[in-house]
Amino acid sequence: MASSVDVFKLTRELIDIPSVTGDEFQIGTSLAELLNRFDYQVEVQEVEADRANVIATSGAPPRVVLSTHMDTVPPYIGSREDDEFIYGRGACDAKGIIACQIAAAEKLRAEGHEIGLLFTVDEEATSAGAKAANKLPLASSCQYLINGEPTDNRLAVGTKGSMQVVIRTEGRAAHSAYPEQGDSAIEKLLDVLNDVRKIDWPGDETFGETTCNIGVISGGTRANVISNQAQATLQIRLATRAEDPKSLLERAVGERASLEYKSIHDPIRLLSLDGFEQTIVRFTTDIPHLTNWGVALLIGPGSILVAHTEHERVAKSELRQAVEIYADLARTLLVREEITTGAAR
């Protein structure tokens, strides 16, 4: 039997469970217990010790699955609300989305539809949860995966690609009073990064510009020691296939440093549907790692511009709207699949 879901209350309850990436045990346990109480068939898929995906179905293997992630970026920020917004870590990325998807699933169940839910760990890091979920037998029965991320409730018809790479330099340690006796890895790294910043990255008419963020720099041990190692982690948002940006980076770095590619995936074009406002987003999601779950769609309440900030929030009006959008999307896709299947017969 379908249950009534207070989306605002559930959003705040989820926000108030800390779930920074790597610490998703309690959020997963709480969601599994909630969905069990709602009479779903719940599967907990262990990804690593004390970290598990939560999968819920309402009966037969679902053709449409609503999905998002349980983890957040640090630091934990508890919930609060006013008349217009709910605030806190995960408000829009993605605790509010979880609440909306559960509420939408309950609406669909009340109408007699079979629906699935997939909540993953580790999206904010390496998408280990999505990679594990992609191996589940249930994936093969799913025709459409509606993934949730903050898109201002607009249907994202494309996402940029991503390339994360670590640049490492090596030197020779020495006393800083005698720099000629050493070889500074930090100065080598700075020279390399200066050339990386000069790269004219390729763009695309649909996805816009490729951008590069030097996100983390580390190296050395003390101010009075010439550093013997240094490294920088870059996040490159790809507007084109990875081959050309990768070649440009390797040409700029040359033999002066080593490159370790942590992740690479190309831009993705997603399903567009009439009747839903559309957009292109610059961020990446679990979708590239959930390829066995059918055709992917991407939509959710809230703005990516406040996600990952100390001011993270989501409008209550957007949460209400998102429940209806998720339900409408699922209905549209279920009818679309019935028409396709009928035509095939």
Side-chain angles (χ1 to χ4, degrees), residues 3 60 67 138 163 167 169 174 206 216 221 244 274 282 286 319:
S3 303
S67 176
L138 185 66
M163 180 163 64
I167 302 177
T169 53
T206 299
V216 181
T221 56
D244 287 345
D274 293 337
R282 302 182 193 177
D286 271 341
L319 292 175

Side-chain angles (χ1 to χ4, degrees), residues 139 231 239:
Q231 68 178 46

